[in-house]
Amino acid sequence: LTISAPGGVTLSTPWAYADVLKFENCRRLTLEGLTAVHNVEPGFCVGDCLQLEACRDVRVTGCTLDGSGAYGLKALDCAGITLENSEISHCTYGAVSLTDCRAVRLRDGVIRDCQDVFTLVEGVGCQDVRVEDTAIRGCTAGALASFSQSLRVSFVGCAVENCGFGAVNGVDWTASGGAVFLDCTGLEASA
């Protein structure tokens, strides 16, 4: 399935408890040029912008996942997710939440204006998660990242600007095998 909007299209829901886009048991899904947004007052939304469950080989490119969604991207039991040249913004719980996922790539995108969230990028039971060449701007959170029971998590070439985090690495990093931050700028100023 490919949903493409070369000129851009906005998908909006007025229901705070609904996910804007939700896919279950999908293979080879492509989303291009979409904006997913909740049309509710900021802080009142508990639905996600994009939720994936048991999906494989998902490509999201040139999209905007704009809150006030709980999470911009929430994935459970997925493999092969690529989010590129996309923006995640204005989320109320966190930008990305992954559970039992592997081979997840966020690259060449922006995470911005997610204020007072729990953890910006989080995961449980994940493998091979890579955030690369991503700008992180104007975000505040208890932690930039927190992964438990996870392996091979890395942030490469990310630029952190005007952010405030209680910690760069949240709880359970030692137990999870840790994460690697390579060639990232602005981390010291954000903690």
Side-chain angles (χ1 to χ4, degrees):
L1 172 66
T2 296
I3 301 174
S4 180
V9 68
T10 298
L11 304 173
S12 175
T13 180
W15 295 289
Y17 293 92
D19 301 316
V20 180
L21 293 165
K22 183 175 181 177
F23 297 92
E24 296 180 36
N25 298 308
C26 293
R27 305 292 182 271
R28 297 181 304 278
L29 170 67
T30 300
L31 304 175
E32 298 174 333
L34 305 175
T35 295
V37 63
H38 284 88
N39 189 13
V40 298
E41 290 294 319
F44 292 99
C45 188
V46 295
D48 303 311
C49 292
L50 173 60
Q51 187 174 90
L52 304 170
E53 293 183 20
C55 293
R56 305 289 181 266
D57 303 319
V58 176
R59 184 172 171 263
V60 179
T61 185
C63 291
T64 299
L65 307 177
D66 192 352
S68 61
Y71 292 100
L73 169 63
K74 187 170 186 176
L76 170 65
D77 187 30
C78 293
I81 299 172
T82 299
L83 183 75
E84 60 189 350
N85 298 313
S86 294
E87 176 182 301
I88 299 174
S89 56
H90 304 109
C91 297
T92 53
Y93 288 17
V96 177
S97 179
L98 308 170
T99 304
D100 297 324
C101 293
R102 60 188 188 283
V104 177
R105 302 288 181 266
L106 278 71
R107 64 177 171 226
D108 300 321
V110 176
I111 299 173
R112 70 172 183 86
D113 300 325
C114 296
Q115 296 285 314
D116 300 320
V117 300
F118 300 110
T119 300
L120 199 62
V121 180
E122 67 180 21
V124 176
C126 296
Q127 294 181 29
D128 301 313
V129 176
R130 185 175 172 103
V131 180
E132 62 184 292
D133 300 323
T134 296
I136 301 170
R137 299 184 187 129
C139 297
T140 57
L144 167 58
S146 180
F147 283 79
S148 61
Q149 303 167 13
S150 299
L151 299 170
R152 296 180 298 276
V153 177
S154 61
F155 289 73
V156 179
C158 296
V160 180
E161 302 171 12
N162 300 319
C163 293
F165 303 113
V168 172
N169 292 330
V171 297
D172 273 336
W173 282 96
T174 304
S176 71
V180 176
F181 287 82
L182 298 170
D183 300 324
C184 293
T185 61
L187 291 175
E188 300 81 17
S190 66

